Amino acid sequence: MAVATVIGTRVAPLTVARLGSRDVVRLGTVVFCAALVGPAVASSYAWFCVALAVLGGLGGLLDVAFNVQGIAVQRAYGRPILAGLHGVWSVALFAGGAVGALAAAAGVSPTWQFAVVAAVLAIASAPLLAWQLPEGEEEPPVPAEAARLPLARVLALGAIGFAAFVGEGAAADWSAIYARDSLGAGSGAAAVALAAFGVAMAVARFMGDRATSRFGRVRLVAVGGVVAATGYALVVAVPHLAAVYCGFALVGLGLGAVVPVAFTASGTPGALGRVVTLSYVGSIAGPAAIGLAAAAASLRGALVIPLVLCAGIAAGARAVR
């Protein structure tokens, strides 16, 4: 699914350029809802993998189209709004997890659960899809320097996205495991580490647009990288549960607005597609690399990897100017 998501982000710029983000979002959302049922009804492991690949590819395609549409709306709106849109995604992540947990506790089969969720999302999306920007207004004129974004700048923005996704993925995949296995926390107490990260990230995203307007992109990303690196340093240096909670909360606060700002700075759909692709590579490679490092040494030592990368975000913040 992760590999297909990356492929979807590479196909997206060509698709958006040909059809426009409005039509990709409209059609893709409906197909994506239908594809959600695929993994639940797969009759074999092979078809299960195919269904996940379809879901991942559509997800990558839509991620770019959503952000292209969001950036166009942001330009027309006259002030930053993209971080808030990403904040809604964070809330939806928690909502999806809660629905899945309740359905599993109630003994609802995945087939029924996914079918109902897909139907509800498709119906609820219908009036919202009608509100996408008309094709003539979808891409307001962009500055000449944005239209000719140099490859070095695209790579720099991609590196920021890569580092942010590694930091986010490490917290999402390993925070609870670290609290449980390294600090001896019970399952409930360990889950608080993940919750602290997730809630802090959502808060940072909802505050991110106002902070961008007030402090500017470069300062926000630089401070965010420092805060996130400080959070990981606290987790690594102080092996106590309270410090782990505070540390992962700082990671969420620091990284929350980084990705939306990096995506906004990419400017054009083609550059955005490349930045999103490089960022998603971080979400795949980062948690896996941490797992390998943990197996070779220790999970505590492996968390130095996102610490260094978050510090790199602060050092390279000028790329988002």
Side-chain angles (χ1 to χ4, degrees), residues 81-98:
I81 61 170
L82 196 66
L85 303 184
H86 282 243
V88 176
W89 179 90
S90 297
V91 172
L93 183 66
F94 277 97

Side-chain angles (χ1 to χ4, degrees), residues 149-264:
L149 202 64
L151 178 60
R153 181 132 181 252
V154 171
L155 294 176
L157 291 171
I160 289 175
F162 176 92
F165 271 47
V166 171
E168 293 177 18
D173 289 1
W174 294 105
S175 57
I177 295 174
Y178 177 71
R180 184 195 66 192
D181 293 354
S182 299
L183 303 181
S187 297
V192 173
L194 176 58
F197 163 75
V199 171
M201 171 161 278
V203 169
R205 284 180 168 169
F206 284 120
M207 295 173 58
D209 294 319
R210 183 174 296 180
T212 301
S213 297
R214 182 171 181 179
F215 302 110
R217 294 179 186 174
V218 174
R219 186 178 299 177
L220 181 64
V221 170
V223 171
V226 171
V227 171
T230 301
Y232 272 115
L234 186 60
V235 169
V236 171
V238 186
H240 296 285
L241 205 54
V244 168
Y245 294 162
C246 292
F248 281 115
L250 287 175
V251 172
L253 284 174
L255 295 180
V258 170
V259 168
V261 169
F263 285 3
T264 297

Side-chain angles (χ1 to χ4, degrees), residues 19 42 69 94 104 106 137 139 146 150 157-159 214 248-249 251 269 272 299 310:
L19 302 177
Q69 179 75 196
F94 277 97
E137 301 176 22
E139 294 182 27
L157 291 171
R214 182 171 181 179
F248 281 115
V251 172
L272 175 63
L299 181 52
C310 288

Side-chain angles (χ1 to χ4, degrees), residues 22-198:
R22 179 185 66 167
D23 289 343
V24 174
V25 167
R26 284 179 168 179
L27 179 61
T29 299
V30 176
V31 177
F32 186 75
C33 290
L36 177 61
V37 183
V41 299
S43 58
S44 67
Y45 181 70
W47 281 112
F48 180 66
C49 291
V50 170
L52 288 179
V54 171
L55 199 62
L58 286 169
L61 175 68
L62 278 172
D63 200 354
V64 175
F66 285 151
N67 279 283
V68 170
Q69 179 75 196
I71 291 171
V73 173
Q74 179 173 258
R75 289 197 190 111
Y77 202 64
R79 67 176 179 84
I81 61 170
L82 196 66
L85 303 184
H86 282 243
V88 176
W89 179 90
S90 297
V91 172
L93 183 66
F94 277 97
V99 169
L102 291 173
V108 178
S109 71
T111 302
W112 277 105
Q113 178 194 341
F114 286 19
V116 170
V117 169
V120 169
L121 292 179
I123 294 170
S125 296
L128 306 179
L129 296 176
W131 293 348
Q132 305 300 301
L133 278 179
E135 190 169 352
E137 301 176 22
E138 186 175 305
E139 294 182 27
V142 298
E145 64 271 17
R148 300 191 303 269
L149 202 64
L151 178 60
R153 181 132 181 252
V154 171
L155 294 176
L157 291 171
I160 289 175
F162 176 92
F165 271 47
V166 171
E168 293 177 18
D173 289 1
W174 294 105
S175 57
I177 295 174
Y178 177 71
R180 184 195 66 192
D181 293 354
S182 299
L183 303 181
S187 297
V192 173
L194 176 58
F197 163 75

